[in-house]
Protein backbone atom coordinates (compact mmCIF):
# COMPACT_ATOMS: atom_id res chain seq x y z
CA UNK A 1 0.00 0.00 0.00
CA UNK A 2 1.22 3.49 -0.85
CA UNK A 3 2.33 5.94 1.79
CA UNK A 4 -0.69 8.24 1.99
CA UNK A 5 1.63 11.25 2.23
CA UNK A 6 2.64 10.57 -1.38
CA UNK A 7 -0.83 11.67 -2.44
CA UNK A 8 -2.17 13.80 0.41
CA UNK A 9 0.97 15.84 0.90
CA UNK A 10 3.28 17.30 -1.71
CA UNK A 11 6.85 16.69 -2.72
CA UNK A 12 9.18 19.54 -3.57
CA UNK A 13 10.63 17.42 -6.38
CA UNK A 14 7.37 17.18 -8.34
CA UNK A 15 7.48 18.95 -11.71
CA UNK A 16 4.43 19.51 -13.91
CA UNK A 17 5.10 19.61 -17.67
CA UNK A 18 2.51 21.11 -20.03
CA UNK A 19 2.62 19.26 -23.37
CA UNK A 20 -0.37 21.00 -25.02
CA UNK A 21 1.51 22.63 -27.91
CA UNK A 22 3.53 19.50 -28.62
CA UNK A 23 1.13 16.57 -28.17
CA UNK A 24 -1.88 18.75 -28.92
CA UNK A 25 -0.19 19.89 -32.11
CA UNK A 26 -0.49 16.37 -33.46
CA UNK A 27 -4.25 16.87 -33.93
CA UNK A 28 -4.14 20.22 -35.77
CA UNK A 29 -0.78 20.08 -37.60
CA UNK A 30 0.62 22.51 -35.00
CA UNK A 31 -1.61 25.26 -36.37
CA UNK A 32 -1.72 27.36 -33.21
CA UNK A 33 -1.88 31.13 -33.43
CA UNK A 34 0.81 33.23 -31.81
CA UNK A 35 -1.85 34.59 -29.45
CA UNK A 36 -2.75 31.04 -28.37
CA UNK A 37 0.88 30.24 -27.60
CA UNK A 38 1.38 33.46 -25.65
CA UNK A 39 -1.84 32.96 -23.68
CA UNK A 40 -0.84 29.38 -22.89
CA UNK A 41 2.56 30.55 -21.65
CA UNK A 42 0.94 33.18 -19.44
CA UNK A 43 -1.57 30.66 -18.12
CA UNK A 44 1.16 28.18 -17.25
CA UNK A 45 2.96 30.87 -15.29
CA UNK A 46 -0.23 31.80 -13.43
CA UNK A 47 -1.02 28.13 -12.76
CA UNK A 48 2.47 27.41 -11.39
CA UNK A 49 3.34 24.88 -14.13
CA UNK A 50 7.07 24.13 -14.18
CA UNK A 51 7.80 23.37 -17.85
CA UNK A 52 6.03 24.10 -21.13
CA UNK A 53 6.80 21.75 -24.01
CA UNK A 54 6.30 23.91 -27.07
CA UNK A 55 6.68 21.36 -29.87
CA UNK A 56 9.18 19.28 -31.81
CA UNK A 57 12.64 19.84 -33.22
CA UNK A 58 11.63 18.13 -36.46
CA UNK A 59 13.91 17.84 -39.49
CA UNK A 60 12.65 20.01 -42.35
CA UNK A 61 14.15 17.55 -44.81
CA UNK A 62 11.63 14.98 -43.56
CA UNK A 63 8.63 17.21 -42.81
CA UNK A 64 7.34 19.87 -45.21
CA UNK A 65 7.20 23.25 -43.39
CA UNK A 66 4.30 24.22 -45.66
CA UNK A 67 2.16 21.53 -44.03
CA UNK A 68 2.87 22.35 -40.39
CA UNK A 69 2.87 25.28 -38.01
CA UNK A 70 6.11 26.60 -36.54
CA UNK A 71 5.74 24.48 -33.37
CA UNK A 72 6.59 21.38 -35.40
CA UNK A 73 10.12 22.77 -35.80
CA UNK A 74 10.61 25.14 -32.84
CA UNK A 75 13.26 27.23 -34.50
CA UNK A 76 14.88 29.20 -31.71
CA UNK A 77 14.66 32.57 -33.40
CA UNK A 78 10.96 32.19 -34.24
CA UNK A 79 10.07 30.94 -30.76
CA UNK A 80 11.93 33.86 -29.21
CA UNK A 81 10.11 36.26 -31.53
CA UNK A 82 6.62 34.93 -30.73
CA UNK A 83 7.29 34.86 -26.99
CA UNK A 84 9.47 37.98 -26.92
CA UNK A 85 7.42 39.79 -24.26
CA UNK A 86 6.94 36.64 -22.16
CA UNK A 87 10.66 35.84 -22.19
CA UNK A 88 11.83 39.34 -21.30
CA UNK A 89 12.93 39.91 -17.73
CA UNK A 90 12.98 37.13 -15.17
CA UNK A 91 12.09 33.78 -16.72
CA UNK A 92 9.22 32.23 -14.79
CA UNK A 93 8.64 29.11 -16.86
CA UNK A 94 11.10 26.70 -18.46
CA UNK A 95 10.64 25.76 -22.12
CA UNK A 96 11.10 22.31 -23.63
CA UNK A 97 11.05 20.72 -27.08
CA UNK A 98 10.93 17.08 -28.13
CA UNK A 99 13.49 15.54 -30.47
CA UNK A 100 12.54 12.17 -32.00
CA UNK A 101 15.33 9.77 -32.84
CA UNK A 102 15.53 9.55 -36.64
CA UNK A 103 13.30 12.58 -37.18
CA UNK A 104 15.56 15.34 -35.93
CA UNK A 105 18.76 16.84 -37.33
CA UNK A 106 19.93 17.43 -33.77
CA UNK A 107 23.50 18.45 -34.58
CA UNK A 108 22.31 21.44 -36.62
CA UNK A 109 18.83 22.22 -35.30
CA UNK A 110 19.57 22.08 -31.58
CA UNK A 111 21.79 25.08 -30.90
CA UNK A 112 23.84 25.82 -27.82
CA UNK A 113 21.55 26.57 -24.89
CA UNK A 114 23.16 29.99 -24.53
CA UNK A 115 21.66 30.85 -27.95
CA UNK A 116 18.24 29.29 -27.38
CA UNK A 117 15.08 30.09 -25.40
CA UNK A 118 14.83 26.38 -24.58
CA UNK A 119 15.89 24.87 -21.28
CA UNK A 120 15.03 21.20 -21.78
CA UNK A 121 15.41 18.73 -24.64
CA UNK A 122 13.15 15.67 -24.47
CA UNK A 123 14.62 12.84 -26.52
CA UNK A 124 12.01 10.32 -27.67
CA UNK A 125 12.85 6.84 -28.91
CA UNK A 126 11.84 3.19 -29.02
CA UNK A 127 13.71 0.54 -27.08
CA UNK A 128 15.76 -0.55 -30.09
CA UNK A 129 16.88 3.06 -30.67
CA UNK A 130 18.55 3.58 -27.29
CA UNK A 131 22.13 3.89 -28.67
CA UNK A 132 21.00 6.68 -31.02
CA UNK A 133 19.02 8.29 -28.20
CA UNK A 134 22.10 8.34 -25.99
CA UNK A 135 24.07 10.08 -28.73
CA UNK A 136 21.38 12.79 -28.81
CA UNK A 137 21.26 12.98 -25.01
CA UNK A 138 24.99 13.53 -24.74
CA UNK A 139 24.93 16.12 -27.53
CA UNK A 140 22.16 18.11 -25.80
CA UNK A 141 23.88 17.83 -22.44
CA UNK A 142 27.14 19.14 -23.89
CA UNK A 143 25.21 22.09 -25.27
CA UNK A 144 23.97 22.94 -21.79
CA UNK A 145 20.41 21.61 -21.64
CA UNK A 146 18.50 19.57 -19.13
CA UNK A 147 17.64 16.30 -20.87
CA UNK A 148 14.95 13.66 -20.53
CA UNK A 149 14.46 10.43 -22.44
CA UNK A 150 10.97 9.17 -23.31
CA UNK A 151 10.98 5.45 -24.11
CA UNK A 152 7.90 4.99 -26.27
CA UNK A 153 5.59 1.98 -26.70
CA UNK A 154 6.93 0.11 -23.68
CA UNK A 155 3.72 -1.95 -23.57
CA UNK A 156 5.01 -3.85 -26.62
CA UNK A 157 8.59 -4.32 -25.37
CA UNK A 158 10.09 -7.28 -23.54
CA UNK A 159 11.06 -6.67 -19.91
CA UNK A 160 14.60 -7.85 -20.60
CA UNK A 161 14.98 -5.26 -23.35
CA UNK A 162 13.58 -2.54 -21.11
CA UNK A 163 16.07 -3.46 -18.40
CA UNK A 164 18.97 -3.18 -20.82
CA UNK A 165 17.64 0.17 -22.06
CA UNK A 166 17.25 1.50 -18.51
CA UNK A 167 20.76 0.40 -17.59
CA UNK A 168 22.19 2.17 -20.64
CA UNK A 169 20.19 5.33 -19.93
CA UNK A 170 21.22 5.18 -16.29
CA UNK A 171 24.85 5.45 -17.37
CA UNK A 172 24.06 8.35 -19.70
CA UNK A 173 23.73 12.06 -18.90
CA UNK A 174 19.92 12.00 -19.00
CA UNK A 175 18.36 13.76 -16.02
CA UNK A 176 14.93 12.11 -16.23
CA UNK A 177 13.69 8.82 -17.70
CA UNK A 178 10.06 8.78 -18.77
CA UNK A 179 7.50 5.99 -18.60
CA UNK A 180 5.35 6.42 -21.73
CA UNK A 181 2.04 4.64 -22.26
CA UNK A 182 2.00 5.35 -25.99
CA UNK A 183 -1.06 3.24 -26.78
CA UNK A 184 -3.07 3.98 -23.64
CA UNK A 185 -3.13 0.25 -22.98
CA UNK A 186 -1.60 0.07 -19.49
CA UNK A 187 -3.74 -0.46 -16.38
CA UNK A 188 -2.86 1.10 -13.01
CA UNK A 189 -1.85 -2.24 -11.46
CA UNK A 190 0.53 -2.73 -14.40
CA UNK A 191 1.78 0.82 -14.00
CA UNK A 192 2.69 0.06 -10.39
CA UNK A 193 4.92 -2.82 -11.53
CA UNK A 194 6.44 -0.71 -14.32
CA UNK A 195 7.28 2.10 -11.90
CA UNK A 196 8.91 -0.45 -9.59
CA UNK A 197 11.06 -1.67 -12.48
CA UNK A 198 12.06 1.84 -13.56
CA UNK A 199 12.67 2.91 -9.98
CA UNK A 200 15.23 0.14 -9.55
CA UNK A 201 17.44 1.81 -12.15
CA UNK A 202 16.51 5.38 -11.21
CA UNK A 203 17.74 4.81 -7.67
CA UNK A 204 20.83 2.95 -8.84
CA UNK A 205 21.89 5.77 -11.13
CA UNK A 206 20.33 8.74 -9.29
CA UNK A 207 17.82 9.62 -12.01
CA UNK A 208 14.36 11.15 -11.80
CA UNK A 209 11.33 9.41 -13.34
CA UNK A 210 8.51 10.90 -15.40
CA UNK A 211 5.12 9.72 -16.69
CA UNK A 212 3.43 10.50 -20.01
CA UNK A 213 0.04 8.79 -20.29
CA UNK A 214 -2.54 8.48 -23.08
CA UNK A 215 -6.26 8.21 -22.50
CA UNK A 216 -7.42 5.42 -24.84
CA UNK A 217 -9.05 3.55 -21.95
CA UNK A 218 -9.77 6.68 -19.89
CA UNK A 219 -6.86 5.77 -17.61
CA UNK A 220 -4.36 8.57 -18.30
CA UNK A 221 -5.18 10.36 -15.05
CA UNK A 222 -5.46 7.11 -13.09
CA UNK A 223 -2.06 5.96 -14.30
CA UNK A 224 -0.56 9.35 -13.46
CA UNK A 225 -2.02 9.12 -9.94
CA UNK A 226 -0.55 5.63 -9.62
CA UNK A 227 2.86 6.83 -10.78
CA UNK A 228 3.08 9.91 -8.58
CA UNK A 229 1.96 7.85 -5.58
CA UNK A 230 4.85 5.48 -6.28
CA UNK A 231 7.45 8.24 -6.38
CA UNK A 232 7.44 9.46 -10.00
CA UNK A 233 8.16 13.20 -9.94
CA UNK A 234 7.82 14.54 -13.50
CA UNK A 235 4.20 14.60 -14.61
CA UNK A 236 3.00 15.39 -18.14
CA UNK A 237 -0.44 16.84 -18.79
CA UNK A 238 -2.29 18.89 -21.41
CA UNK A 239 -5.12 21.37 -21.20
CA UNK A 240 -8.44 19.53 -21.49
CA UNK A 241 -6.37 16.45 -22.35
CA UNK A 242 -5.55 17.80 -25.84
CA UNK A 243 -3.31 15.33 -27.64
CA UNK A 244 -2.97 12.66 -30.29
CA UNK A 245 -6.05 10.48 -30.63
CA UNK A 246 -7.65 9.93 -27.24
CA UNK A 247 -5.46 12.62 -25.71
CA UNK A 248 -3.49 12.80 -22.49
CA UNK A 249 -3.81 13.28 -18.76
CA UNK A 250 -5.78 16.50 -18.31
CA UNK A 251 -4.02 19.43 -16.67
CA UNK A 252 -7.19 20.33 -14.81
CA UNK A 253 -7.34 16.85 -13.27
CA UNK A 254 -3.66 16.85 -12.36
CA UNK A 255 -3.57 20.26 -10.70
CA UNK A 256 -6.75 19.37 -8.87
CA UNK A 257 -4.92 16.36 -7.40
CA UNK A 258 -1.64 17.98 -6.40
CA UNK A 259 -1.63 19.61 -3.00
CA UNK A 260 1.31 21.91 -3.53
CA UNK A 261 -0.03 25.45 -3.02
CA UNK A 262 2.13 26.71 -5.89
CA UNK A 263 -0.33 25.17 -8.36
CA UNK A 264 -3.49 27.11 -9.21
CA UNK A 265 -6.43 25.55 -11.05
CA UNK A 266 -8.41 28.72 -11.78
CA UNK A 267 -6.30 30.09 -14.68
CA UNK A 268 -6.35 26.63 -16.28
CA UNK A 269 -10.14 26.66 -16.32
CA UNK A 270 -10.12 30.19 -17.74
CA UNK A 271 -7.78 29.14 -20.57
CA UNK A 272 -9.89 26.11 -21.46
CA UNK A 273 -13.04 28.23 -21.45
CA UNK A 274 -11.58 30.85 -23.76
CA UNK A 275 -9.04 29.08 -25.96
CA UNK A 276 -9.55 25.31 -25.94
CA UNK A 277 -13.29 25.58 -26.50
CA UNK A 278 -12.57 27.81 -29.51
CA UNK A 279 -10.40 25.06 -31.03
CA UNK A 280 -13.17 22.52 -30.58
CA UNK A 281 -15.70 24.91 -32.07
CA UNK A 282 -13.44 25.15 -35.14
CA UNK A 283 -13.63 21.37 -35.53
CA UNK A 284 -10.36 20.21 -33.97
CA UNK A 285 -11.04 16.71 -32.62
CA UNK A 286 -9.39 14.74 -29.83
CA UNK A 287 -10.38 12.77 -26.77
CA UNK A 288 -11.70 9.41 -25.66
CA UNK A 289 -14.02 7.55 -28.02
CA UNK A 290 -14.81 3.90 -28.63
CA UNK A 291 -12.36 3.46 -31.51
CA UNK A 292 -9.51 4.44 -29.18
CA UNK A 293 -10.81 2.06 -26.54
CA UNK A 294 -10.51 -0.75 -29.08
CA UNK A 295 -6.89 -0.04 -29.99
CA UNK A 296 -6.03 0.50 -26.33
CA UNK A 297 -7.56 -2.82 -25.31
CA UNK A 298 -5.61 -4.57 -28.05
CA UNK A 299 -2.35 -2.74 -27.26
CA UNK A 300 -2.13 -1.27 -30.75
CA UNK A 301 -0.93 2.06 -32.10
CA UNK A 302 -4.02 4.30 -32.50
CA UNK A 303 -3.33 5.10 -36.16
CA UNK A 304 -6.30 3.00 -37.31
CA UNK A 305 -8.56 4.71 -34.76
CA UNK A 306 -7.29 8.11 -35.88
CA UNK A 307 -8.16 7.21 -39.48
CA UNK A 308 -11.61 6.05 -38.32
CA UNK A 309 -12.10 9.43 -36.64
CA UNK A 310 -10.92 11.41 -39.67
CA UNK A 311 -13.36 9.49 -41.87
CA UNK A 312 -16.18 10.50 -39.48
CA UNK A 313 -17.21 6.87 -39.09
CA UNK A 314 -19.41 5.73 -36.25
CA UNK A 315 -19.72 2.01 -37.04
CA UNK A 316 -17.77 1.02 -33.93
CA UNK A 317 -18.72 -2.65 -34.04
CA UNK A 318 -17.51 -3.00 -37.62
CA UNK A 319 -14.27 -1.26 -36.69
CA UNK A 320 -13.86 -3.75 -33.86
CA UNK A 321 -14.32 -6.63 -36.31
CA UNK A 322 -11.81 -5.08 -38.72
CA UNK A 323 -9.19 -4.74 -35.98
CA UNK A 324 -9.82 -8.21 -34.58
CA UNK A 325 -9.42 -9.76 -38.03
CA UNK A 326 -5.88 -8.32 -38.14
CA UNK A 327 -4.88 -9.94 -34.85
Amino acid sequence: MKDISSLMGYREDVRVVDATLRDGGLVNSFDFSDDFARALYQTNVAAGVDYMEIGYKADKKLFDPQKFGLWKFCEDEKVASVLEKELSGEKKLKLAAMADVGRCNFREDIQEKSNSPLDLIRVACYVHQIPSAIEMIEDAKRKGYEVTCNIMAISTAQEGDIRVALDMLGKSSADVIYIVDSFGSIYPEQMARIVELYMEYAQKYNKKLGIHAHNNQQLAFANTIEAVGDGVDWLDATYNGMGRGAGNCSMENLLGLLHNPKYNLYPVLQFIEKHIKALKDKGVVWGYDLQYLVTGLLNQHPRTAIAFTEQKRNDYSEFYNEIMSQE
Side-chain angles (χ1 to χ4, degrees), residues 48-67:
V49 170
D50 301 283
Y51 290 80
M52 177 175 166
E53 186 182 37
I54 59 174
Y56 284 96
K57 280 286 190 180
D59 189 346
K60 289 185 177 180
K61 295 177 182 177
L62 300 177
F63 299 94
D64 185 352
Q66 300 301 315
K67 296 180 180 179

Side-chain angles (χ1 to χ4, degrees), residues 76-77 111-118 145:
D76 293 324
E77 297 78 8
Q111 302 181 35
E112 296 286 335
K113 182 182 179 300
S114 58
N115 299 323
S116 173
L118 297 176
Y145 295 94

